[in-house]
Amino acid sequence: MNIAVIQSPGSNCDQDALYALRNQFGADARYVWHDDSSLHGFDAVVIPGGFTYGDYLRGGAIASRAKIMSEVVRFANEGRLVLGICNGFQILTELGLLPGALIRNGGLRFVCKKVQIAAVNKTSPWTKNVDRVLTVPVAHNEGRYVADETTLEALRRQNRIAFRYCDPSGSFTPESNPNGAADSIAGVLNEQGNVLGLMPHPERAVDTLLGGEDGRLILGCLVGA
Amino acid sequence: MHSETAPLPLHAQMGLSDLEYQAIKRKLDREPTLTELGMFGVLWSEHCSYKSSRELLKHFAEYKRAAESKGLENAGVIEIGGGLGITFKVESHNHPSAVEPYQGAATGVGGIIRDILTMGARPIAILDSLRFGDIRSSSDDRRLFARVVEGIGGYGNCVGVPTIAGELKFDRLYQKNPLVNAMCIGLVEMDRIATAAAAGPGNAVLYLGSATGKDGIHGATFASDTLGEDSDSKRPNVQIGDPFAGKLLIEATLEALATGAIVAIQDMGAAGLTCSTCEMSAKGGVGMEINLDHVPLREAEMSAYEIMLSETQERMLAVTHFEREKEVIEIFHKWGLKAEVIGAVTSDGMVVIKKNGRIEASIPAKFITNECPSVDLDAAEPENVREAARFDIHELPVPKDLSQALLAIISSPNCASKRWVYEQYDYTVQTQTSLWPGDGDAAVLAPRGTQKGIAAKIDGDGRKVLADPFIGGQLALIEAARNVACTGAKPVGATDCLNFGDPNDPGVYFQFKEAVRGIADAAEKLEVPVVSGNVSFYNATEFGPVMPTPTVGVVGVLDDVRNRLGMGFPRGVGFVYMIYGRGHAPRQHGLGASEYLRTVHNMEDGAPEIPDLRIEKALIELLSQAAKDNLICCAHDISEGGFAMALAEMCIVGQAGCTALIDANEHVRRHILTPTLEGLSTGKVQLEEIPEAIFEAETGVDAWAFSSRADARLFGEMPGRVLVGISESATKQNLTDKLCLLAAELGLTAHCVGVYDYAQHSIRIVTPSAPVVDMPLESARRAYFDAIPSLMGSSAS
C-alpha cells in the first residue's frame, strides 16, 4: 500500500509517522508537500500531528487551506483511507471531512501522557482489529473534542465514534478523560468509516522500547492487516 | 525619578567601564561611533565576554584546550560510534524570565536549540533546570513557576523537540529571581559537523530567518546587571519567540547544511548581528563587509545601532561557498523563510558595517571578540561556610514519628513528583524517548539508526554549594553523572550553567571560583569532560543574591538501549540491595544542608558530606556493567531525602511495596540481612550473624551503618550510594552473588537491605525489634503526586 504523509510547515510528527510506517511496518510511505496538488498513485493519506503554522488563528485552520487539501477531500470522498492525527484531526475538522471541533483542553494546560482508549465502533478499517483497551500517548494543547448535541447524537447513532478515553478497565470515567472531551471522545469517523480523526498518537506506540505498541492495532489497516 | 543626578556618559549607559572605553579608543585611534559603542557594549558585557570568569573557566580542561587552539564553538561534540556524535549545551535565561516568564523561558529554549543546530546537529532533546522562590508562601513565585513551565512547553512542544528531563527546586533565596537553564542535545554525523569560522574572502554572507525588529535591543547588557525595582521597565529588552519560525529554521538549516554549500553558520542569539558577524570573522581570522540596507526589517525606520543590537529570535548568519548562495536561498524560501545576501567575507580582519552608503562601524573582529579586558575580582570566603562546617547534629532531636517525617519529605515540593511540570511538555515527539520523565534517574533516548541509547540528566543543589562551594560543585557533577549511570549508561560528557550573584561581591566570587574548581575536579576524576557551558552572574535582587547554583547536565551512552534501567521496582518480588563504598568519615551524618533538616526541622544549616570520587567512579562502572549483564532490574541513587526517600520513590514509581531493614544498635549491626528465596516468598527478612572479621571490615567503616541515629540512616544525604532491585528470576540464577562479586572487584560493597513485593501495599522500614516507618503505599503515592498540583491549584489525576 502506498501511503502519503502530508508535510506542512510546522508539522512535527511527519518524520515520526513516516518512520513508523516505513521502518516499523514496512509500508511504502512518502512525503507529500503541502503545496503539491496530486495524490496520484497513493492508496492512503496520513495527516500527521504538529503545530502547522504555529497554530496561529486556530489549530489546523491555515493548513486546511493548503493546495493539497482539496485533493485530500476528493481522495476521502472516493472512500480511500485518510487518517488525521492530533493536529491532523484538527485539519480534518477544519476541512469539514469530520464534524465538530477541537478546542483548548479543559485543564487549560498542554497535556502529555499515556492514556487508555477503547474502540466504540468495531467495524471500520481503523477499529476492526481493536479487541481490547489500548494504551497510547497524547500530547496536545487543543484536544478537547466538542460538537453540538445533535451532532453527537448523530455520531452515536451512526456508529461514528471510533475511540473514547477510558480507564484501564475500560470504564469511561471523568478522571480518564485527559482534556474534557465531550463524551470522552478521542477519535471520530466519517460516515463511510474511511476517514479517522484521532487525538492520541498511534505512531508513537509501535515499539515496546518506546513505551508500547498498541498503536499497531490502529495503523494495521494501512499495511493491509 | 533621578532628576538631580547627572546623566551617565554614553559609554557607561552602554555598560562599558572607563577602562574599557579607553582601550577601545586606543585601538580604534578615534572616538567610536554610536553603533560601535553599542556593539562593544553588548560584546563586552559579562554575558558575552565572560570577562569575570574567563580565567577561572580554564580549570575546565576542554575549555582551556579550545580557548588556546581552535577557539570555542557553540558546543563540543562527543563521538559515540557508528559515525555519530552528540553535542549538547546548557544556557541560562534568568533575567528575561524574571521580567517576562513565558517569553523569557520560551526564547531560552529557542536559543539553545539554535546553538545546537548550528553545529550541524538535529536537536533531539531538551532538558531544563529551574529554580523558584518558595511556592508554598509566595503567589508571585507560583505565577513565575507556572508561566516559565508554560513558556518552555510553548516553545519546545511546537518546535517538535521533546523535553525529556530536568530538575526543579524551590527556595526563598530564588524569590523574584528564578533560574531558567535550558539544555539541548543534538545528534550529528561526524563528517557533517558545521563550524562558525567564516572563511574565503569573496564568499557571500547570508542572513537567514525572521526579519529584524526592535525587540531585545541590549538584551545581553540587561542580562549583565542585577534585577532592581525598575526591572519591569526592561520588559522591552525581552525577546519574543516564534517557535513556528524556529521549527522552519531547523528543517531549512539542516536541509541547507546537507547541500554542502555552507562554509560556516552561527545563530544570531545574544547581541544578534553584532555577535554573529564579529565572532564568525574572528574565529576564521577574516573580516566581513555588511550592508545593512539588505537586512530584512520588520519595521521601516531602524537605525544601524538598532539593527546591530536587535535580538529578534529565529535568525542565523551563514557564509556560503563561492557562488553557491542560491542553493541555500532556495531552500529557505521553500520553507517560507527569508534569506538575503547582506555582505561578503573580506581578508583584512575588519568588520565593516554600512548603511545608506555610510560606514557605521569599522572594528577589528578579533579585538572586539577576544580582547575585552579581563576583570580581576577579589574572592573571600563568606562567613556562612565556616559556620556550616561547625554544625553539630547532636543538638538535633530525632523525631518520634519517622513515618510522618518521611511523608513530609515526600510531599515537599523539592522531593515530590514533578509530573505537574513534565506533563506540560511533549516528551514523546520524535518517537525516540525510551525512558520517560519520572520513570528513571535520567531520561534515555533510543535514537534511530543505532542500537545505542543516550541518557541525560541535569542537576545542581544550591543549598550544598552555599554551605560548601567546592564540595557543592563536585556534588553537582557527581549527582548528574550518577543519575545517568543509574540508567545503565556510561557518562561521556558534561555541560554546566553557572548561576551566581554579583561577582563584584567577594563572597559571591569565592563561591563561583570554588564551585568551578569543584566541578572541574569531579569532571577530571570521573573522566566526564565539561565540553560546553555558560555563566550567568548578577542573579540578585533587593533580597540579595540567589543561592549559588551551578547546574550540570551530563550525557551518557548505553551500548544497547534495551538494557536501560528505570528506578521503579518491577512487577513481582525481588531483593533490594544497597551499593556503596568505604569513603570519608561523615562530617554530619549526611544531615547537613539536607532536605530533612529543612523540611522536618525547618533549619538551614550544616555542610554537605564530602564525596569520594574513587567510589563514585567505581559506582558508575558497576552500574553500567550490572545493567549490561542484566544483574539488576532497577536503580536509584540516594540523594535528597536520603535512603528512605529513595526507597519510597522506587516503590511509588513501581507501584510495589517493600520491607527494608536498618540496624539501630550495636547488636543488630553485627548481623546482615541474608537474602533467601524463602524470604522472598514470605516477605520476611532474615538476619545472620556477621563473623567478627567481616564485621570489622564491613560495618566498621561504613558511615551509613555506623550512625546510631535513625533519622540519619533514613534521611542522611550520603554521597556514593545507590539502591538497586534484583528480581526473583535473577536471584534464582545466583546473580546476587555475581553482583556482590562485581562490587568487591571494584572496591565496593553490595548489601541486601530488603525485599520488594508487588503484592504488598505498604512501605516498611524496620529494625529487627520494631518498624520505624510503616506507611500505606497509597499515602506515599498521593503525597508524592499531589504536592505540587495542590499548591498550584489543580488536582492531580
Side-chain angles (χ1 to χ4, degrees):
Chain A
M1 196 177 267
N2 290 321
I3 306 164
V5 175
I6 308 287
Q7 217 177 13
S8 303
S11 299
N12 66 25
C13 306
D14 46 345
Q15 297 171 24
D16 303 350
L18 191 85
Y19 184 79
L21 293 166
R22 228 190 229 175
N23 298 61
Q24 288 164 310
F25 274 109
D28 186 6
R30 275 176 294 144
Y31 291 129
V32 172
W33 187 240
H34 70 105
D35 211 27
D36 288 351
S37 51
S38 168
L39 288 169
H40 183 74
F42 288 103
D43 307 299
V45 166
V46 172
I47 309 178
F51 286 74
T52 48
Y53 298 92
D55 269 2
Y56 299 142
L57 190 58
R58 263 189 331 270
I62 301 176
S64 70
R65 268 67 178 173
K67 207 192 247 178
I68 195 68
M69 292 303 169
S70 50
E71 180 72 354
V72 170
V73 172
R74 191 188 59 77
F75 193 88
N77 289 338
E78 285 174 11
R80 286 189 274 184
L81 292 173
V82 175
L83 169 62
I85 303 166
C86 199
N87 187 228
F89 187 2
Q90 295 166 345
I91 292 170
L92 291 178
T93 62
E94 289 287 335
L95 281 173
L97 282 175
L98 295 173
L102 294 138
I103 63 169
R104 187 94 197 265
N105 294 344
L108 302 181
R109 285 192 302 274
F110 189 94
V111 56
C112 176
K113 61 186 204 179
K114 272 183 191 170
V115 297
Q116 275 78 38
I117 55 172
V120 180
N121 173 301
K122 310 271 189 195
T123 54
S124 80
W126 305 102
T127 53
K128 66 179 196 296
N129 296 325
V130 180
D131 52 359
R132 57 185 165 83
V133 170
L134 304 183
T135 300
V136 281
V138 290
H140 56 243
N141 201 24
E142 298 177 350
R144 179 183 191 178
Y145 185 78
V146 290
D148 58 41
E149 193 43 49
T150 322
T151 307
L152 290 173
E153 188 45 45
L155 288 176
R156 285 179 212 121
R157 208 178 47 239
Q158 296 165 1
N159 196 20
R160 288 170 56 193
I161 297 173
F163 294 99
R164 293 176 70 192
Y165 302 109
C166 61
D167 70 10
S169 72
S171 305
F172 305 108
T173 60
E175 297 76 35
S176 54
N177 181 347
N179 52 33
D183 257 11
S184 292
I185 290 174
V188 295
L189 296 159
N190 68 345
E191 277 179 54
Q192 297 137 288
N194 60 311
V195 177
L196 170 66
L198 188 62
M199 225 44 226
H201 287 273
E203 85 285 10
R204 297 190 189 184
V206 291
D207 186 345
T208 49
L209 198 58
L210 303 173
E213 50 182 3
D214 283 1
R216 285 175 177 266
L217 291 181
I218 302 171
L219 297 176
C221 67
L222 289 174
V223 285
Chain B
M1 223 165 41
H2 303 288
S3 54
E4 68 274 28
T5 33
L8 289 167
L10 201 53
H11 68 266
Q13 288 178 34
M14 309 261 183
L16 290 164
S17 72
D18 291 345
L19 184 103
E20 289 162 351
Y21 179 57
Q22 295 306 330
I24 294 165
K25 275 211 301 196
R26 226 176 12 252
K27 182 73 182 183
L28 298 182
D29 201 18
R30 59 177 164 79
E31 282 289 329
T33 65
L34 175 74
T35 304
E36 286 171 337
L37 263 185
M39 290 168 71
F40 275 102
V42 287
L43 272 193
W44 285 15
S45 68
E46 187 63 53
H47 186 78
C48 292
S49 73
Y50 292 82
K51 58 190 166 192
S52 306
S53 59
R54 267 197 310 233
E55 287 307 311
L56 290 175
L57 295 178
K58 289 185 180 160
H59 282 294
F60 298 122
E62 296 289 313
Y63 179 91
K64 188 161 184 276
R65 205 171 306 141
E68 285 167 3
S69 62
K70 58 185 173 10
L72 296 159
E73 288 286 352
N74 282 337
V77 178
I78 291 179
E79 198 165 355
I80 62 165
L84 293 173
I86 43 177
T87 175
F88 44 90
K89 189 183 179 191
V90 59
E91 206 162 72
S92 66
H93 234 218
N94 306 337
H95 285 72
S97 303
V99 177
E100 215 299 289
Y102 183 94
Q103 290 298 342
T107 53
V109 171
I112 196 67
I113 286 177
R114 287 191 301 280
D115 268 359
I116 294 304
L117 180 61
T118 50
M119 299 295 299
R122 175 170 285 280
I124 57 168
I126 297 164
L127 293 88
D128 54 15
S129 175
L130 309 176
R131 299 289 182 281
F132 300 94
D134 191 346
I135 56 165
R136 284 181 288 203
S137 55
S138 157
S139 61
D140 276 352
D141 287 292
R142 280 198 293 274
R143 183 187 64 88
L144 284 172
F145 171 41
R147 291 291 287 166
V148 162
V149 169
E150 212 180 321
I152 291 170
Y155 202 101
N157 298 346
C158 181
V159 84
V161 181
T163 303
I164 58 165
E167 56 134 13
L168 165 63
K169 290 192 181 85
F170 305 94
D171 192 284
R172 62 184 168 74
L173 290 183
Y174 300 110
Q175 188 177 359
K176 287 195 181 171
N177 195 149
L179 301 185
V180 177
N181 295 178
M183 170 174 165
C184 182
I185 306 174
L187 191 70
V188 61
E189 289 171 40
M190 289 306 288
D191 54 5
R192 285 256 179 101
I193 296 172
T195 175
N203 284 345
V205 176
L206 254 67
Y207 174 110
L208 305 168
S210 299
T212 297
K214 290 189 180 176
D215 46 334
I217 289 174
H218 257 298
T221 316
F222 164 53
S224 305
D225 197 1
T226 56
L227 292 164
E229 282 171 11
D230 60 339
S231 288
D232 272 356
S233 70
K234 291 189 172 154
R235 204 163 281 146
N237 288 81
V238 178
Q239 311 84 338
I240 307 296
D242 178 358
F244 173 54
K247 169 66 177 168
L248 301 179
L249 203 59
I250 292 177
E251 299 307 331
T253 302
L254 291 174
E255 198 175 320
L257 281 168
T259 64
I262 291 178
V263 175
I265 188 163
Q266 184 166 325
D267 170 38
M268 280 192 231
L273 205 47
T274 296
C275 184
S276 49
T277 51
C278 295
E279 280 190 9
M280 290 180 75
S281 299
K283 276 174 196 164
V286 293
M288 277 183 194
E289 186 173 308
I290 302 293
N291 187 346
L292 297 184
D293 298 337
H294 300 310
V295 171
L297 298 179
R298 219 165 48 210
E299 33 203 313
E301 294 303 316
M302 283 184 74
S303 65
Y305 172 86
E306 289 169 325
I307 298 170
M308 289 308 289
L309 268 63
S310 162
E311 292 193 4
T312 294
Q313 299 287 292
E314 289 85 29
R315 301 179 301 163
M316 308 261 229
L317 196 71
V319 172
T320 48
H321 283 291
F322 194 62
E323 292 186 341
R324 290 189 67 182
E325 57 271 19
K326 270 221 179 81
E327 295 169 51
V328 175
I329 291 171
E330 270 168 22
I331 290 170
F332 274 75
H333 284 175
K334 181 188 119 188
W335 286 99
L337 292 169
K338 295 195 171 24
E340 295 285 342
V341 175
I342 61 164
V345 176
T346 58
S347 56
D348 62 1
M350 299 291 289
V351 171
V352 178
I353 307 294
K354 289 186 177 168
K355 188 169 190 290
N356 295 327
R358 238 186 72 174
I359 293 181
E360 295 280 350
S362 178
I363 301 173
K366 282 196 171 163
F367 175 69
I368 190 171
T369 306
N370 301 328
E371 288 173 37
C372 170
S374 273
V375 181
D376 278 334
L377 296 171
D378 295 329
E381 185 178 86
E383 230 167 82
N384 79 289
V385 175
R386 223 161 306 155
E387 277 167 26
R390 279 197 299 263
F391 174 63
D392 182 4
I393 69 158
H394 295 101
E395 290 163 16
L396 199 69
V398 180
K400 283 209 178 66
D401 188 342
L402 290 164
S403 293
Q404 205 50 47
L406 174 58
L407 206 60
I409 291 171
I410 292 175
S411 57
S412 81
N414 285 343
C415 286
S417 165
K418 309 300 185 290
R419 188 166 74 180
W420 187 85
V421 176
Y422 62 72
E423 278 191 356
Q424 296 186 56
Y425 302 150
D426 189 341
Y427 49 79
T428 53
V429 68
Q430 294 194 11
T431 55
Q432 301 186 128
T433 315
S434 189
L435 190 59
W436 292 11
D439 288 347
D441 279 19
V444 177
L445 293 171
R448 289 174 199 153
T450 169
Q451 282 284 308
K452 298 195 183 219
I454 294 174
K457 182 68 167 72
I458 186 163
D459 278 299
D461 188 345
R463 204 183 306 157
K464 293 190 168 71
V465 182
L466 183 68
D468 190 332
F470 178 79
I471 298 298
Q474 282 187 319
L475 287 170
L477 187 129
I478 290 169
E479 170 84 19
R482 203 198 293 130
N483 278 329
V484 162
C486 278
T487 67
K490 185 180 175 334
V492 293
T495 177
D496 62 355
C497 191
L498 306 165
N499 308 275
F500 289 80
D502 181 346
N504 296 297
D505 175 339
V508 168
Y509 201 63
F510 176 88
Q511 293 168 336
F512 176 73
K513 192 175 139 193
E514 289 301 296
V516 165
R517 276 205 322 117
I519 296 169
D521 179 66
E524 194 183 317
K525 289 178 180 151
L526 295 184
E527 294 173 49
V528 181
V530 177
V531 297
S532 60
N534 168 242
V535 178
S536 171
F537 281 132
Y538 302 100
N539 291 291
T541 63
E542 66 264 34
F543 306 109
V546 297
M547 262 188 195
T549 311
T551 61
V552 181
V554 167
V555 177
V557 176
L558 282 129
D559 283 335
D560 185 341
V561 69
R562 286 172 301 181
N563 292 331
R564 84 248 187 288
L565 296 171
M567 70 161 95
F569 293 126
R571 276 171 188 266
V573 291
F575 292 113
V576 189
Y577 271 65
M578 184 163 72
I579 302 166
Y580 58 94
R582 297 150 200 187
H584 300 284
R587 300 204 261 195
Q588 297 169 358
H589 294 233
L591 296 183
S594 69
E595 185 62 35
Y596 163 73
L597 207 58
R598 191 170 97 131
T599 300
V600 177
H601 293 279
N602 200 18
M603 278 174 77
E604 302 271 350
D605 207 342
E609 295 301 336
I610 298 168
D612 183 323
L613 285 148
R614 272 179 320 108
I615 293 174
E616 300 291 350
K617 188 144 193 292
L619 263 180
I620 289 170
E621 271 179 55
L622 178 133
L623 286 162
S624 63
Q625 191 62 43
K628 196 172 162 187
D629 295 346
N630 292 309
L631 303 183
I632 55 181
C633 54
C634 58
H636 189 26
D637 78 325
I638 292 180
S639 129
E640 276 120 3
F643 172 80
M645 182 65 213
L647 196 67
E649 255 183 324
M650 295 172 90
C651 289
I652 295 166
V653 172
Q655 300 180 40
C658 79
T659 303
L661 181 120
I662 57 165
D663 307 346
N665 60 49
E666 176 66 21
H667 169 71
V668 176
R669 271 193 280 116
R670 286 177 169 275
H671 297 74
I672 51 167
L673 189 60
T674 310
T676 61
L677 288 173
E678 193 188 337
L680 270 183
S681 56
T682 58
K684 283 201 181 107
V685 291
Q686 299 192 4
L687 289 176
E688 230 176 58
E689 194 162 336
I690 303 176
E692 189 66 27
I694 295 179
F695 173 70
E696 291 305 326
E698 298 279 333
T699 55
V701 289
D702 175 34
W704 185 71
F706 206 63
S707 175
S708 55
R709 294 180 65 115
D711 59 349
R713 307 180 129 218
L714 289 175
F715 309 122
E717 297 176 13
M718 299 296 301
R721 252 136 236 271
V722 169
L723 295 178
V724 299
I726 302 185
S727 68
E728 188 175 18
S729 66
T731 306
K732 283 179 180 155
Q733 299 164 48
N734 289 327
L735 295 186
T736 48
D737 295 349
K738 253 188 140 171
L739 180 72
C740 293
L741 210 64
L742 177 63
E745 275 170 22
L746 291 163
L748 301 170
T749 305
H751 256 161
C752 181
V753 291
V755 176
Y756 69 82
D757 183 352
Y758 195 77
Q760 182 183 326
H761 301 294
S762 62
I763 300 171
R764 298 178 68 232
I765 302 175
V766 304
T767 66
S769 51
V772 289
V773 168
D774 195 351
M775 184 186 301
L777 185 57
E778 184 56 22
S779 312
R781 208 190 73 85
R782 283 230 185 98
Y784 187 66
F785 287 115
D786 283 355
I788 291 180
S790 67
L791 285 169
M792 299 307 289
S794 52
S795 66
S797 53

